[in-house]
Amino acid sequence: MHDLLTIPVTRAGTLALRFLVAAALTVAGGCISKDAYVPPDLFYLFASYQVGKNPTAVATADFNQDGSTDLVTTNIGNSSLSVLFGNGDGTFKEQVQIDAAREPRALALDDYNGDGRMDLAVACSGSDQVAIFFGLANGTFGVGQRYAVHKIPVSIASGDFNGDRKPDLAVALRNDKVKILLGNGDGSFTEGALYEYGDTPTSIAVADLNQDGRPDLAVANGGPMSSAVSIWLGNGDGTFRTPTDYRTGKRPLVVTFADFNNDQRTDLLVMNGEMDTFTTFLGNGDGTFQEGKESGADAGPVYGLAKDFNDDRWADVAIANVQSGNLSILFGRGDGTFQYPPMNYKTKGGPFAIATLGFTAKQEGEPGLAIVNNGAGSVSIFLHRGLKGHSRAPTPAPS
């Protein structure tokens, strides 16, 4: 009786063992039952346009107020700005170059003199200056005043820091300082606070991070002793509290904002200059952030921005990779992590910065991206292929 009972069990165990071995061999041989993730191909290279030498930044706005989106780039190689007027269909006219102070590196758009036209504040790292350019009726820019900031301004952002409804400026300086310039509303600025903090600031961005109605700062510190993003909470009078640091990947280069999990709280996106990674930080809504989540990019990520590209209501990320010469699109899971691998698109040599691009100033949604190519002296326009059918409901974010 005992032998009769054990024979079927033993045979079943043998069959089960054979099944497990076969399954293990199948996985080891590279054949898995679940298909590998294949990212959607949503963009294509539409056109490229020449700008000045070694462009480092790009921004979009309707400068000539004709209803079509225009472009402006800072060109550090020949100390110029390039303005390209849009035709409203994704194409642009030939550039108009404007002389700038030496080595313009970054810019902030706002109406600094209150005339209803967009102006430019440009961080010029070679001359240790912030240069103001006033928007003219024809869409080009006239030279305004220049302000000495010491030393080596590399990033600039605008916001109303003292609550007077006039745009101010925050400037990141490479010598471990942050400089505030307070706007007078007529295009001129007065000296604000100078803070010495951090380790080789590389990027500065402005947003209300603690939801108190006062703009705050996020500053990426790219020096080897820090590798952190600093959060400066604003007091509303043009000054800022002692910052709090959050550890990033190695040598962070750029910090931008997003809402990766749709909780109406501002999150952080940080590009890291070493190890080909980027870091995301989910915001708590009070100016503090959760521990960073590191993700892989292509070779040499130098700039990133977040937007929902595949219409699933989760923020995705577009990254410029200067070493591989690729634009990478990574699709978000809704929790600050991303599907892998990314969708990569070849650009025209040394992609360095990205801006979202709409054809017209009033168009809802962004049908494309504008990417400056530092090595090629050009700006590439990538257009969205469009999405077929009704957008699906979002997948719940992992807990």
Side-chain angles (χ1 to χ4, degrees):
M1 176 70 74
H2 179 76
D3 290 340
L4 290 175
L5 288 174
T6 57
I7 290 174
V9 174
T10 304
R11 184 178 179 185
T14 302
L15 291 175
L17 178 60
R18 289 175 179 174
F19 176 79
L20 291 173
V21 170
L25 290 173
T26 301
V27 173
C31 297
I32 57 177
S33 58
K34 184 178 180 181
D35 292 337
Y37 171 74
V38 178
D41 181 9
L42 297 183
F43 290 90
Y44 65 99
L45 177 59
F46 176 69
S48 293
Y49 297 91
Q50 287 300 121
V51 295
K53 186 177 181 181
N54 303 124
T56 54
V58 59
T60 61
D62 181 8
F63 299 127
N64 58 359
Q65 299 182 335
D66 66 350
S68 298
T69 301
D70 310 312
L71 297 174
V72 61
T73 68
T74 58
N75 311 309
I76 199 169
N78 67 340
S79 297
S80 71
L81 308 176
S82 292
V83 181
L84 288 78
F85 295 114
N87 297 315
D89 59 359
T91 66
F92 291 84
K93 296 178 174 63
E94 186 176 346
Q95 65 170 320
V96 176
Q97 277 201 23
I98 301 170
D99 290 336
R102 191 151 56 97
E103 297 181 5
R105 187 181 183 93
L107 74 167
L109 276 61
D110 214 322
D111 181 6
Y112 297 113
N113 60 358
D115 66 353
R117 301 189 183 105
M118 195 63 68
D119 308 313
L120 308 177
V122 182
C124 300
S125 58
S127 59
D128 297 333
Q129 292 177 327
V130 169
I132 306 300
F133 294 84
F134 296 117
L136 304 177
N138 64 357
T140 60
F141 295 89
V143 177
Q145 193 168 342
R146 297 179 180 182
Y147 299 88
V149 288
H150 302 287
K151 183 179 181 183
I152 313 179
V154 294
S155 185
I156 189 168
S158 67
D160 180 11
F161 303 132
N162 58 358
D164 64 356
R165 299 186 180 180
K166 300 169 184 177
D168 309 312
L169 294 170
V171 189
L173 309 175
R174 286 297 294 270
N175 63 337
D176 305 342
K177 294 180 176 63
V178 171
K179 176 65 177 177
I180 305 299
L181 296 173
L182 298 176
N184 298 314
D186 59 359
S188 66
F189 293 82
T190 57
E191 294 279 336
L194 177 65
Y195 297 96
E196 184 165 359
Y197 185 85
D199 181 16
T200 316
T202 53
S203 175
I204 193 165
V206 174
D208 181 5
L209 301 177
N210 59 353
Q211 301 179 351
D212 66 351
R214 303 165 180 171
D216 310 307
L217 304 178
V219 180
N221 296 286
M225 301 301 293
S226 177
S227 290
V229 60
S230 301
I231 303 302
W232 303 62
L233 298 181
N235 294 315
D237 60 357
T239 65
F240 294 85
R241 304 171 208 170
T242 301
T244 300
D245 288 350
Y246 293 85
R247 191 76 177 176
T248 67
K250 288 189 175 181
R251 302 289 182 98
L253 296 175
V254 172
V255 56
T256 54
F257 300 118
D259 182 3
F260 291 115
N261 56 354
N262 293 343
D263 63 355
Q264 310 303 311
R265 299 168 179 172
T266 302
D267 307 321
L268 302 179
L269 172 64
V270 182
M271 296 296 111
N272 301 315
E274 292 185 6
M275 308 300 292
D276 301 334
T277 67
F278 65 97
T279 308
T280 57
F281 297 85
L282 297 181
N284 297 316
D286 59 357
T288 66
F289 293 84
Q290 300 174 28
E291 184 177 353
K293 302 177 182 180
E294 199 161 298
S295 302
D298 210 347
V302 292
Y303 194 92
L305 62 80
K307 187 174 178 61
D308 178 11
F309 297 120
N310 61 348
D311 201 26
D312 66 353
R313 300 186 182 94
W314 299 125
D316 310 309
V317 171
I319 298 176
N321 304 286
V322 68
Q323 292 180 15
S324 62
N326 285 338
L327 161 68
S328 293
I329 307 294
L330 291 97
F331 295 96
R333 295 190 177 107
D335 62 351
T337 66
F338 301 87
Q339 301 279 3
Y340 201 85
M343 189 69 198
N344 291 325
Y345 301 90
K346 205 69 179 175
T347 66
K348 294 292 184 177
F352 208 79
I354 311 173
T356 54
L357 176 67
F359 292 164
T360 65
K362 296 182 179 180
Q363 182 172 352
E364 292 186 5
E366 306 286 351
L369 298 169
I371 301 172
V372 289
N373 304 303
N374 185 266
S378 66
V379 57
S380 292
I381 306 301
F382 283 82
L383 297 186
H384 201 291
R385 299 182 189 277
L387 296 169
K388 297 180 180 180
H390 191 273
S391 60
R392 65 182 182 273
T395 302
S399 58

